[in-house]
């Protein structure tokens, strides 16, 4: 099966077969797309967020593992080339999630002093905490992964959520190794 787990998976018709490709976008993975020849690709799945697409061997359907910063993971089966939903395989409907009161971070980009665009996520504490608020920078060893993505993993980052609930601003920044 063809597989895309990168920043903006796209299913594109080339000749008689589908393949996946990406469009450069480090923080967001809005949608897979389809097209033929040189025409503009067209959208085949809905939902802004993170898509992990696996095409069937006969290229007649695909499984889309989807999530966003505001939606936990779901798994769906779609037909090609129409992109119509065939089956909802999994939908995370765990009522305990609402008890956690997880707030998606604010996602934004900024340029460093060399002019390189970096993607960031900022977790805000509840309004009850006085200003100015202390800032914690959450680091990782990269550059092999990106941590700032429109995905459920960013919202479910429990250390960052805990620190925000304790009154800290928490900043996560993807380093320059990703571009």
């Amino acid at each position: 099966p063809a597989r895309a787990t990168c920043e903006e998976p796209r299913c594109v018709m080339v000749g008689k077969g589908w393949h996946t490709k990406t469009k450069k976008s480090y923080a967001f993975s809005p949608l897979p797309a389809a097209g033929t020849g040189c025409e503009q690709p067209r959208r085949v799945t809905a939902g802004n967020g993170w898509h992990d697409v696996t095409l069937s061997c006969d290229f007649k359907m695909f499984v889309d593992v989807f999530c966003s910063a505001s939606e936990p993971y779901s798994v769906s089966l779609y037909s090609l080339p129409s992109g119509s939903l065939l089956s909802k395989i999994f939908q995370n409907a765990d009522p305990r999630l609402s008890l956690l009161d997880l707030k998606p971070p604010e996602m934004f980009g900024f340029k460093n002093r060399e002019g390189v665009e970096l993607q960031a996520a900022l977790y805000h504490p509840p309004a009850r905490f006085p200003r100015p608020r202390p800032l914690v920078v959450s680091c990782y060893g990269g550059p092999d992964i990106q941590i700032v993505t429109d995905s459920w993993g960013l919202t479910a980052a429990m250390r960052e959520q805990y620190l925000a609930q304790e009154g800290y601003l928490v900043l996560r920044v993807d380093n320059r190794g990703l571009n």
Side-chain angles (χ1 to χ4, degrees):
R3 190 165 172 84
T5 58
C6 358
E7 58 273 358
E8 191 174 320
R10 292 185 174 264
C11 300
V12 178
M13 181 68 151
V14 177
K16 295 187 184 267
W18 291 82
H19 76 278
T20 55
K21 71 173 192 168
T22 63
K23 180 180 173 188
K24 189 174 181 180
S25 172
Y26 297 107
F28 309 103
S29 167
L31 50 99
T36 58
C38 295
E39 72 186 48
Q40 192 68 2
R42 69 175 172 81
R43 183 177 187 155
V44 293
T45 62
N48 292 329
W50 196 263
H51 292 269
D52 183 349
V53 176
T54 302
L55 298 169
S56 65
C57 293
D58 63 2
F59 303 107
K60 292 184 178 179
M61 48 189 153
F62 66 94
V63 173
D64 181 20
V65 179
F66 169 77
C67 69
S68 72
S70 59
E71 287 183 65
Y73 286 92
S74 65
V75 181
S76 301
L77 179 66
Y78 294 92
S79 68
L80 286 175
S82 69
S84 60
L85 178 65
L86 297 173
S87 176
K88 192 64 111 166
I89 299 168
F90 171 78
Q91 181 71 44
N92 191 337
D94 190 334
R96 296 173 296 176
L97 285 176
S98 62
L99 299 175
L100 295 174
D101 195 29
L102 300 176
K103 305 279 190 261
E106 172 190 355
M107 290 181 275
F108 60 95
F110 66 94
K111 291 190 180 200
N112 69 8
R113 63 180 163 217
E114 286 110 20
V116 175
E117 180 81 15
L118 301 176
Q119 301 300 318
L122 185 62
Y123 298 79
H124 293 273
R128 70 178 183 271
F129 290 99
R131 293 176 183 249
R133 297 174 178 145
L135 174 70
V136 173
V137 178
S138 178
C139 300
Y140 73 104
D144 55 337
I145 60 168
Q146 62 191 79
I147 58 173
V148 179
T149 59
D150 186 5
S151 67
W152 184 247
L154 192 63
T155 299
M158 299 312 282
R159 178 182 53 207
E160 286 76 2
Q161 290 284 354
Y162 173 77
L163 289 169
Q165 290 299 313
E166 293 297 311
Y168 293 90
L169 285 165
V170 183
L171 179 68
R172 291 179 112 182
V173 180
D174 277 333
N175 63 39
R176 65 184 295 151
L178 292 170
N179 53 358

